[in-house]
C-alpha cells in the first residue's frame, strides 16, 4: 500500500430538524456559529482535511435536512457512508427519542455489511442553552441508550460555544477509519478464449 | 462516385443566425465591422423538407428553393476582412506569448502577469500553474472571445501534440476557486456514494463536497424513477452518464453538442475500464464505501491525455482509426510478420506509430473496435514507463470484453513506433518477447521501420497536392481574397502567408472516413489553420456537423454546406464514406462541391497507401 495514500471518509449527520446539525458542522469546519436558523434543504456538503495518527484524510460531511419530507432521499444519501453521526437537542425530549428511528432508518437504507458494528457517534447538542437549566435529557439517560446500542461513543456538545465539537469529530474520524481497515480485494478475471463465444466483441456492428 | 448532379438539384439554403453570438460580438467589438454575422448555412437535405439544424443549439429551419448564389451575393465583402483580421489578431497573440516549448513554468507565469486584463484577473491569475497547461487552458479561454492571455507555445500543427505534456492540471484548485469555476470544460468521475474518483481540474479530495452534490442531483432524479441526462444552465451544459456504480459528469460551456460530450464521457468510462475492467462493479456491490481512487493511482496522465485528444484527435468522435501512409508492399510486409505471430497464440498484434496504425492483425474471429484502439494507444502513449522498457501489463478492451483482462506486451521499436501484442495468457511474457524480437528483425531487414520514419517526416496528405485542373485554380484564388490578407495588417502577419492559403478552391482541410474500413484519413493542417487553437476550433466545427448529420431526430442527412465567419464546412455522407471538408469562408459553393469530388477520387486513388486493406481484422 502506498505510504502517502489519502483516505476519504463519508460522514452522514442525522437528527431531527433544529437540533443543530448544520451549526455543528459549521463550527467544526468553519469555526463559526450563527444564532439564525436556516433550514437545510435536502443536504449540505462540506469537506475538511484532518490529520490523524500521521495520516491525512478528508472528511466528506453530508449534513442532511431533518425534516421528514426529505427522508425519501435516504438511500441515495446514506449509501457508502463510513460513519453516521446522530444528533439530538438535550433540551428537546422528542429529538432524543427519535434517535432510535434515525439509527434504524439509516441501517435499513444504507444496509452496511456489518450493521452491529457500524460506527455511529451520538452528540447531545445545545448544552449551553439557559445555562443547562432547560435541559430535559440527562447525560446518564443518553449514555445508557448509547451503551445499549453497542457502546456508541457519546459527546455533549455546544455548537455555539464550540464545546466538544473538535473532540467529537476526532472520534468520528477515528471510528470511520477503523471500519475502513478491512481492505477490499479487487480481482478481475482474465479472458478465457477457450470458453467459446463469450469473447465476442459487443461493439462490433455486424 | 460523387457527382454534381447529386447536389445541385436538391439544395436548400437557410440563412443562419449568428451561430455563436458571444464570439461574433467579440469580433465585432474588436474589428468594428458590423456585417460579419451573416453566416449562411446551406443544407442539402435528403428529404428536402423541414430539415432542422440544431447544431448550434438554436433551431435553424431551412426554407426551400432558395438559390444559393443569391445568398452568397448578399454576403458582405466585409466578412473577408473579418476572417482575415481575426486571424491576424490570433497570430499576434501567439507571437506575443512566444513562450516556446522549452520555456519553463516561470516564464509563462510572468507572461500571464504582464498581460492580465483587469476585468478578468481572478481567472487569469490562476492560469499559470504549469507551462504544460498552455494548450488546453488557453484555447478554452479563447473560445469565449475573452482574450486574456496566451501561453500557446505551439505554432505548427506538428508542434501541437509534441508540446502538450500529459498530467494533472491545477491541483491546487477546488470549487471555491474563481479560476476553477471559470474553466470551460470539467470532467468528473465519482462513485454512487458520492466519493470523488477523478476530476480534470483540482484536487479530488478538496472537491469531495462538489462530487457529493453531483451524486445528490443524480440520486434525487433516480429516486423519482427517472434519469438525469442533461441540464442546461445559462452558457453551461451539464451532461450526466451513469454506468452502474460509477457516475460521470461533464460541465462545459464550449457549446459542443450534447451528444459529443456524452460520447466523450463514454470514452472516459472506457478508459477507466481499460485500466480496471468492469470487475470494480463487484467491489461496489460488496461494499458501497469502496474507494476506487487508489486503483487508479498514477493514471492522471492517461485521462488528461484522453481529454486533450477530444480537441485534436478526430478518432474521438469519428469512431474510426487512421493509418500511417505507407507504400502498399511495406504495409503488406508488416502485416505478414504480424500474421505469423498471431497464429502462435497472440490475440491481437498491433504496430503503431504515435496514434497511427502501421498494421494490425487479429486472431481468427477476434475483432478490434476503433474505440478500443484509441483507448489502448492513448494508454500506452500517455504512460511514460512504456517508453523506457518492454512492458507486460494487464489491460481490458471494453468493446471486446469489458469484464476481463487481456495481457499486453508493449515495446517501442523506435521513439514513435511501438508494437503491442495482446494475449489472454498471463505467463506469455517470454513468448511475446521472442515474437517481438522476430518481428523487429523482419521489420528492420525489410526496411519497414525506416519507411515508417520517412513517412512520419513526410506527413500525410496535403491539400495543396490535391490534383486539379488549372482552370479551377485560377478561379479559386480570386485576387481580392489573396491580397486582402497580405495588406490588411502585413506587419502583424506571419511568414506563413507565403505558404499560400491551402488547396484548390479554398480547400483548407478535410477528413475522409471509410465506413467499410472503419478508418479515416485526414489531411495535414496547413495555412491558415496553423495554431492548435485554430485546429481545435475546426475539429469542434466538424464535431458539430458530425452530430447534426448523425442526429436521429432530423437525420440522417446526406450533405450539408455550412458557412460562417470562420469557414465553409461541407459534409457529405454516403453508404461508403463520410467526407468532412473545410474551405475558406468565401469559397464558391459549386467549386467546393467539385473539389470534394476530387478529394474523394484522390483518396480512392491512394487507398492502397493510406488505408489498411485486405485481411481486415474486423469480422462483420
Amino acid at each position: 500500500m502506498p505510504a502517502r495514500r489519502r483516505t476519504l471518509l463519508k460522514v452522514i449527520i442525522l437528527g431531527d430538524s433544529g437540533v443543530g446539525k448544520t451549526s455543528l458542522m459549521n463550527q467544526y469546519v468553519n469555526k463559526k456559529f450563527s444564532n439564525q436558523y436556516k433550514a437545510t434543504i435536502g443536504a449540505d456538503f462540506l469537506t475538511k482535511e484532518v490529520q490523524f495518527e500521521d495520516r491525512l484524510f478528508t472528511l466528506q460531511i453530508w449534513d442532511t435536512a431533518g425534516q421528514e419530507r426529505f427522508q425519501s432521499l435516504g438511500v441515495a444519501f446514506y449509501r457508502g457512508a463510513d460513519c453516521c453521526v446522530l444528533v439530538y437537542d438535550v433540551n428537546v425530549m422528542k429529538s432524543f427519542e427519535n434517535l432510535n428511528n434515525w439509527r434504524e432508518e439509516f441501517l435499513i437504507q444504507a444496509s452496511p455489511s456489518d450493521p452491529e458494528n457500524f460506527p455511529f457517534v451520538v452528540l447531545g447538542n445545545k448544552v449551553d442553552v439557559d445555562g443547562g437549566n432547560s435541559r430535559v435529557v440527562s447525560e446518564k439517560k443518553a449514555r445508557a441508550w448509547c451503551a445499549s446500542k453497542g457502546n456508541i461513543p457519546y459527546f455533549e456538545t455546544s455548537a455555539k460555544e464550540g464545546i466538544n465539537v473538535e473532540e467529537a469529530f476526532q472520534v468520528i474520524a477515528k471510528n470511520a477509519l477503523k471500519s475502513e481497515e478491512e481492505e477490499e480485494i479487487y480481482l478481475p478475471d482474465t479472458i478465457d478464449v477457450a470458453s467459446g463465444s463469450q469473447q465476442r466483441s459487443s461493439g462490433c456492428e455486424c | 462516385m460523387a457527382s454534381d448532379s447529386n447536389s445541385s438539384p436538391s439544395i436548400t439554403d437557410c440563412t443562419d443566425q449568428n451561430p455563436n453570438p458571444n464570439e461574433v460580438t467579440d469580433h465585432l467589438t474588436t474589428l468594428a465591422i458590423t456585417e460579419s454575422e451573416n453566416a449562411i448555412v446551406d443544407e442539402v437535405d435528403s428529404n428536402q423538407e423541414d430539415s432542422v439544424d440544431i447544431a448550434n443549439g438554436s433551431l435553424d429551419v431551412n426554407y426551400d428553393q432558395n438559390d444559393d448564389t443569391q445568398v452568397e451575393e448578399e454576403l458582405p465583402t466585409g466578412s473577408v476582412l473579418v476572417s482575415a483580421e481575426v486571424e491576424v489578431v490570433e497570430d499576434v497573440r501567439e507571437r506575443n506569448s512566444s513562450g516556446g516549448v522549452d520555456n519553463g513554468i516561470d516564464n509563462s507565469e510572468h507572461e500571464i502577469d504582464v498581460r492580465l486584463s483587469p476585468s478578468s484577473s481572478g481567472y487569469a491569475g490562476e492560469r499559470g500553474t504549469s507551462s504544460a497547461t498552455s494548450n488546453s487552458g488557453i484555447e478554452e479561454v479563447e473560445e469565449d472571445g475573452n482574450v486574456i492571455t496566451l501561453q500557446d507555445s505551439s505554432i505548427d500543427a506538428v508542434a501541437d501534440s509534441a508540446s502538450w505534456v500529459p498530467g494533472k492540471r491545477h491541483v491546487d484548485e477546488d470549487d471555491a476557486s474563481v479560476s476553477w469555476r471559470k474553466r470551460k470544460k470539467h470532467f468528473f468521475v465519482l462513485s454512487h456514494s458520492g466519493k470523488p474518483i477523478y476530476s480534470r481540474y483540482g484536487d479530488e479530495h478538496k472537491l469531495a463536497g462538489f462530487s457529493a452534490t453531483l451524486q445528490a442531483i443524480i440520486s434525487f432524479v433516480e429516486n423519482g424513477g427517472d434519469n438525469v441526462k442533461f441540464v442546461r444552465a445559462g452558457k453551461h451544459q451539464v451532461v450526466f452518464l451513469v454506468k452502474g456504480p460509477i457516475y460521470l459528469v461533464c460541465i462545459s460551456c464550449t457549446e459542443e453538442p450534447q451528444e459529443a460530450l456524452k460520447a466523450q464521457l463514454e470514452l472516459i468510462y472506457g478508459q477507466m475500464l481499460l485500466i480496471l475492467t468492469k470487475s470494480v462493479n463487484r467491489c461496489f456491490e460488496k461494499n458501497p464505501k469502496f474507494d476506487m481512487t487508489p486503483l487508479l493511482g498514477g493514471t492522471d496522465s492517461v485521462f488528461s491525455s484522453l481529454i486533450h485528444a477530444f480537441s485534436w484527435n478526430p478518432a474521438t468522435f469519428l469512431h474510426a482509426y487512421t493509418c500511417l501512409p505507407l507504400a502498399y508492399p511495406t504495409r503488406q510486409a508488416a502485416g505478414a510478420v504480424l500474421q505469423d505471430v498471431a497464429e502462435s497464440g497472440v490475440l491481437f498484434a498491433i504496430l503503431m506509430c504515435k496514434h497511427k496504425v502501421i498494421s494490425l492483425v487479429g486472431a481468427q474471429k477476434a475483432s478490434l473496435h476503433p474505440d478500443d484502439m484509441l483507448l489502448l494507444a492513448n494508454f500506452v502513449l500517455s504512460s511514460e514507463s512504456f517508453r523506457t522498457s518492454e512492458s507486460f501489463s494487464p489491460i481490458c478492451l471494453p468493446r471486446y470484453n469489458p469484464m476481463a483482462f487481456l495481457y499486453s506486451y508493449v515495446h517501442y521499436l523506435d521513439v514513435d513506433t511501438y508494437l503491442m501484442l495482446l494475449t489472454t495468457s498471463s505467463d506469455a511474457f517470454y513468448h511475446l518477447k521472442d515474437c517481438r524480437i522476430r518481428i523487429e528483425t523482419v521489420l528492420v531487414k525489410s526496411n519497414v521501420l525506416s519507411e515508417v520514419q520517412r513517412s512520419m517526416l513526410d506527413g500525410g496528405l496535403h491539400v495543396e497536392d490535391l490534383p486539379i485542373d488549372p482552370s479551377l485554380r485560377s478561379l479559386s484564388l480570386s485576387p481580392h481574397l489573396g491580397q486582402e490578407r497580405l495588406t490588411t495588417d502585413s506587419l502583424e502577419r506571419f511568414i506563413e502567408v507565403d505558404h499560400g492559403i491551402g488547396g484548390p478552391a479554398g480547400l483548407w482541410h478535410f477528413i475522409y472516413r471509410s465506413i467499410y474500413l472503419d478508418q479515416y484519413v485526414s489531411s495535414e493542417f496547413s495555412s491558415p489553420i496553423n495554431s492548435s487553437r485554430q485546429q481545435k476550433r475546426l475539429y469542434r466545427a466538424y464535431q458539430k456537423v458530425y452530430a447534426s448529420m448523425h442526429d436521429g431526430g432530423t437525420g440522417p442527412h446526406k450533405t450539408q454546406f455550412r458557412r460562417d465567419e470562420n469557414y465553409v464546412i461541407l459534409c457529405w455522407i454516403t453508404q461508403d464514406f463520410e467526407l468532412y471538408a473545410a474551405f475558406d469562408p468565401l469559397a464558391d459553393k459549386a467549386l467546393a462541391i467539385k473539389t470534394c469530388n476530387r478529394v474523394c477520387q484522390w483518396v480512392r486513388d491512394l487507398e492502397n497507401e493510406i488505408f489498411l486493406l485486405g485481411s481486415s481484422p474486423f469480422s462483420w
Side-chain angles (χ1 to χ4, degrees):
Chain A
M1 199 166 89
R4 275 189 53 79
R5 175 176 154 188
R6 289 189 305 166
T7 312
L8 186 122
L9 299 172
K10 176 172 174 177
V11 177
I12 308 267
I13 306 187
L14 296 177
D16 282 7
S17 62
V19 298
K21 297 181 294 294
T22 305
S23 295
L24 279 167
M25 192 168 80
N26 262 328
Q27 178 60 253
Y28 177 57
V29 177
N30 302 320
K31 301 271 180 284
K32 277 181 194 154
F33 179 80
S34 159
N35 258 320
Q36 277 187 328
Y37 175 68
K38 274 190 295 180
T40 305
I41 297 172
D44 260 354
F45 310 98
L46 278 176
T47 52
K48 171 132 173 145
E49 282 197 356
V50 184
Q51 184 131 20
F52 183 73
E53 287 174 359
D54 292 340
R55 278 182 70 183
L56 195 65
F57 53 92
T58 308
L59 290 186
Q60 181 191 49
I61 306 171
W62 294 55
D63 171 27
T64 62
Q67 283 85 0
E68 282 186 358
R69 66 176 188 279
F70 293 113
Q71 293 321 301
S72 66
L73 292 168
V75 195
F77 282 3
Y78 303 167
R79 183 166 47 213
D82 294 279
C83 179
C84 178
V85 182
L86 302 171
V87 186
Y88 77 97
D89 179 347
V90 297
N91 308 292
V92 180
M93 182 56 78
K94 187 75 190 153
S95 72
F96 175 71
E97 289 165 357
N98 274 339
L99 285 187
N100 208 38
N101 298 338
W102 283 112
R103 182 177 167 274
E104 277 174 13
E105 176 73 4
F106 176 83
L107 289 176
I108 291 165
Q109 301 269 22
S111 53
S113 46
D114 183 9
E116 293 306 305
N117 293 309
F118 186 86
F120 285 97
V121 173
V122 172
L123 307 183
N125 194 30
K126 302 197 188 179
V127 291
D128 60 282
V129 173
D130 202 12
N133 291 325
S134 60
R135 177 164 187 153
V136 294
V137 184
S138 71
E139 181 171 353
K140 196 178 160 197
K141 191 173 179 180
R143 288 201 182 273
W145 184 80
C146 289
S148 73
K149 299 295 172 190
N151 281 321
I152 301 178
Y154 175 72
F155 289 89
E156 304 228 311
T157 58
S158 162
K160 186 178 180 180
E161 313 282 343
I163 299 167
N164 260 344
V165 175
E166 193 74 34
E167 293 80 352
F169 274 92
Q170 276 289 327
V171 169
I172 289 163
K174 193 173 117 193
N175 286 4
L177 214 54
K178 220 188 292 171
S179 70
E180 176 251 6
E181 296 301 325
E182 8 114 15
E183 269 295 306
E184 275 308 308
I185 302 158
Y186 152 79
L187 267 181
D189 305 325
T190 300
I191 292 178
D192 182 7
V193 177
S195 74
S197 61
Q198 164 261 355
Q199 48 120 349
R200 262 193 33 223
S201 162
S202 53
C204 156
E205 306 105 42
C206 298
Chain B
M1 182 54 203
S3 68
D4 297 349
S5 62
N6 190 344
S7 45
S8 37
S10 55
I11 287 169
T12 56
D13 294 329
C14 74
T15 327
D16 190 9
Q17 283 300 314
N18 164 16
N20 190 340
N22 296 328
E23 200 171 302
V24 173
T25 318
D26 256 281
H27 292 166
L28 289 180
T29 50
T30 329
L31 303 166
I33 289 171
T34 41
E35 294 121 322
S36 68
E37 73 241 311
N38 281 16
I40 293 164
V41 173
D42 300 344
E43 259 199 19
V44 186
D45 186 16
S46 51
N47 62 5
Q48 275 203 46
E49 287 174 8
D50 298 337
S51 94
V52 175
D53 181 355
I54 59 157
N56 290 317
S58 60
L59 295 185
D60 311 319
V61 182
N62 293 343
Y63 43 93
D64 294 335
Q65 314 292 335
N66 196 346
D67 186 298
D68 60 293
T69 50
Q70 251 179 33
V71 181
E72 285 187 32
E73 279 162 17
E74 284 161 23
L75 251 184
T77 35
S79 67
V80 183
L81 282 164
V82 172
S83 63
E85 286 201 8
V86 169
E87 280 152 29
V88 170
V89 173
E90 286 154 3
D91 290 340
V92 174
R93 283 184 223 131
E94 272 172 39
R95 202 165 47 175
N96 278 347
S97 66
S98 61
V101 185
D102 297 330
N103 285 352
I105 292 159
D106 298 340
N107 191 359
S108 43
E109 277 181 343
H110 285 306
E111 286 184 10
I112 288 157
D113 293 341
V114 171
R115 281 176 291 114
L116 267 181
S117 93
S119 62
S120 46
S121 51
Y123 186 5
E126 297 284 335
R127 301 191 42 78
T129 27
S130 83
S131 62
T133 38
S134 47
N135 282 342
S136 49
I138 292 153
E139 293 166 44
E140 306 284 24
V141 182
E142 278 286 295
E143 283 172 1
D144 213 8
N146 298 328
V147 179
I148 299 164
T149 89
L150 263 159
Q151 335 155 20
D152 194 341
S153 50
S154 61
I155 284 151
D156 284 335
V158 194
D160 177 30
S161 32
S163 63
W164 187 85
V165 181
K168 180 89 172 180
R169 305 287 189 262
H170 309 291
V171 255
D172 52 322
E173 295 180 353
D174 60 37
D175 51 335
S177 325
V178 182
S179 54
W180 186 88
R181 287 170 174 267
K182 286 193 174 172
R183 304 232 168 267
K184 295 266 167 181
K185 198 171 174 187
H186 285 277
F187 286 101
F188 305 98
V189 185
L190 51 138
S191 80
H192 64 169
S193 70
K195 295 190 178 181
I197 295 170
Y198 173 80
S199 167
R200 182 185 187 191
Y201 300 113
D203 175 80
E204 283 85 3
H205 274 222
K206 285 184 189 153
L207 292 169
F210 188 80
S211 77
T213 313
L214 291 175
Q215 192 266 352
I217 293 169
I218 294 167
S219 300
F220 179 79
V221 179
E222 239 166 35
N223 238 29
D226 210 338
N227 288 302
V228 59
K229 289 181 176 160
F230 173 69
V231 173
R232 181 176 266 287
K235 281 166 67 184
H236 286 86
Q237 303 183 77
V238 188
V239 182
F240 298 89
L241 181 65
V242 172
K243 291 287 188 182
I246 296 171
Y247 298 168
L248 300 101
V249 182
C250 173
I251 302 180
S252 158
C253 56
T254 56
E255 292 301 325
E256 287 167 88
Q258 179 200 340
E259 303 79 30
L261 297 174
K262 183 167 174 273
Q264 292 169 9
L265 289 176
E266 291 274 3
L267 284 173
I268 290 177
Y269 180 65
Q271 190 74 71
M272 200 159 277
L273 293 185
L274 185 129
I275 298 166
L276 293 178
T277 77
K278 232 178 185 168
S279 315
V280 283
N281 286 10
R282 266 179 290 170
C283 298
F284 282 109
E285 276 161 29
K286 268 197 287 179
N287 173 19
K289 293 193 288 190
F290 180 68
D291 184 6
M292 237 175 95
T293 346
L295 290 179
L296 287 171
T299 56
D300 272 342
S301 60
V302 179
F303 291 99
S304 66
S305 152
L306 177 67
I307 291 167
H308 180 55
F310 296 154
S311 58
W312 72 264
N313 188 346
T316 56
F317 66 91
L318 288 176
H319 307 291
Y321 67 96
T322 194
C323 287
L324 185 77
L326 282 175
Y328 184 71
T330 309
R331 203 186 305 281
Q332 286 294 103
V337 61
L338 295 184
Q339 186 66 52
D340 281 352
V341 166
E343 278 153 20
S344 74
V346 172
L347 197 58
F348 296 108
I350 311 162
L351 184 62
M352 294 186 75
C353 185
K354 289 193 170 165
H355 65 285
K356 295 184 176 182
V357 171
I358 296 164
S359 188
L360 76 99
V361 163
Q364 227 182 353
K365 284 184 187 163
S367 67
L368 194 51
H369 192 280
D371 283 356
D372 281 351
M373 292 173 63
L374 169 78
L375 296 172
L376 182 59
N378 179 61
F379 180 66
V380 171
L381 286 167
S382 60
S383 312
E384 200 54 42
S385 54
F386 283 117
R387 291 174 194 277
T388 47
S389 61
E390 55 185 334
S391 312
F392 194 62
S393 160
I395 57 106
C396 162
L397 297 179
R399 298 287 201 137
Y400 180 72
N401 183 338
M403 291 310 297
F405 270 138
L406 290 169
Y407 296 88
S408 129
Y409 174 93
V410 181
H411 185 76
Y412 272 82
L413 304 177
D414 62 37
V415 68
D416 291 321
T417 313
Y418 54 102
L419 176 70
M420 296 183 285
L421 302 173
L422 307 191
T423 176
T424 56
S425 153
S426 60
D427 50 12
F429 177 80
Y430 289 102
H431 171 61
L432 296 182
K433 187 188 174 75
D434 292 343
C435 291
R436 185 267 299 171
I437 293 169
R438 243 191 308 155
I439 292 170
E440 192 166 11
T441 314
V442 173
L443 292 179
V444 170
K445 260 191 204 158
S446 54
N447 289 327
V448 172
L449 282 184
S450 51
E451 287 294 313
V452 164
Q453 277 155 8
R454 211 175 62 182
S455 172
M456 278 298 282
L457 288 175
D458 291 352
L461 303 181
H462 296 268
V463 287
E464 297 84 358
D465 301 335
L466 177 65
I468 49 144
D469 54 56
S471 60
L472 261 177
R473 177 167 296 270
S474 60
L475 272 170
S476 66
L477 296 177
S478 60
H480 85 275
L481 201 145
Q483 280 163 17
E484 205 79 75
R485 277 154 194 283
L486 280 167
T487 51
T488 36
D489 232 333
S490 51
L491 276 175
E492 311 283 14
R493 291 291 294 173
F494 258 134
I495 333 147
E496 76 204 17
V497 177
D498 299 335
H499 301 322
I501 47 153
L507 176 66
W508 283 352
H509 186 261
F510 69 85
I511 300 177
Y512 177 103
R513 174 181 183 238
S514 160
I515 290 164
Y516 169 70
L517 294 171
D518 255 344
Q519 294 172 44
Y520 73 90
V521 63
S522 154
S523 70
E524 296 288 322
F525 283 108
S526 57
S527 177
I529 314 270
N530 288 314
S531 71
S532 57
R533 196 185 38 74
Q534 285 167 315
Q535 288 157 23
K536 178 177 182 173
R537 191 165 63 182
L538 177 57
Y539 277 141
R540 294 247 167 105
Y542 283 149
Q543 211 173 13
K544 254 182 198 174
V545 176
Y546 180 91
S548 75
M549 293 293 274
H550 291 84
D551 176 38
T554 62
H557 301 298
K558 283 183 178 160
T559 49
Q560 187 173 153
F561 184 87
R562 171 181 294 271
R563 190 195 298 279
D564 64 22
E565 75 274 18
N566 296 314
Y567 14 62
V568 161
I569 300 279
L570 205 158
C571 179
W572 180 20
I573 297 184
T574 73
Q575 274 191 324
D576 301 323
F577 65 84
E578 298 182 356
L579 179 73
Y580 302 84
F583 291 84
D584 185 293
L586 282 192
D588 176 77
K589 184 170 173 182
L591 276 183
I593 290 167
K594 258 186 200 155
T595 308
C596 283
N597 282 322
R598 289 181 182 279
V599 168
C600 292
Q601 188 54 51
W602 191 35
V603 167
R604 257 173 254 129
D605 291 345
L606 294 174
E607 66 177 2
N608 276 338
E609 290 165 31
I610 54 182
F611 292 131
L612 174 63
L613 303 169
S615 54
S616 163
F618 301 93
S619 54
W620 314 121

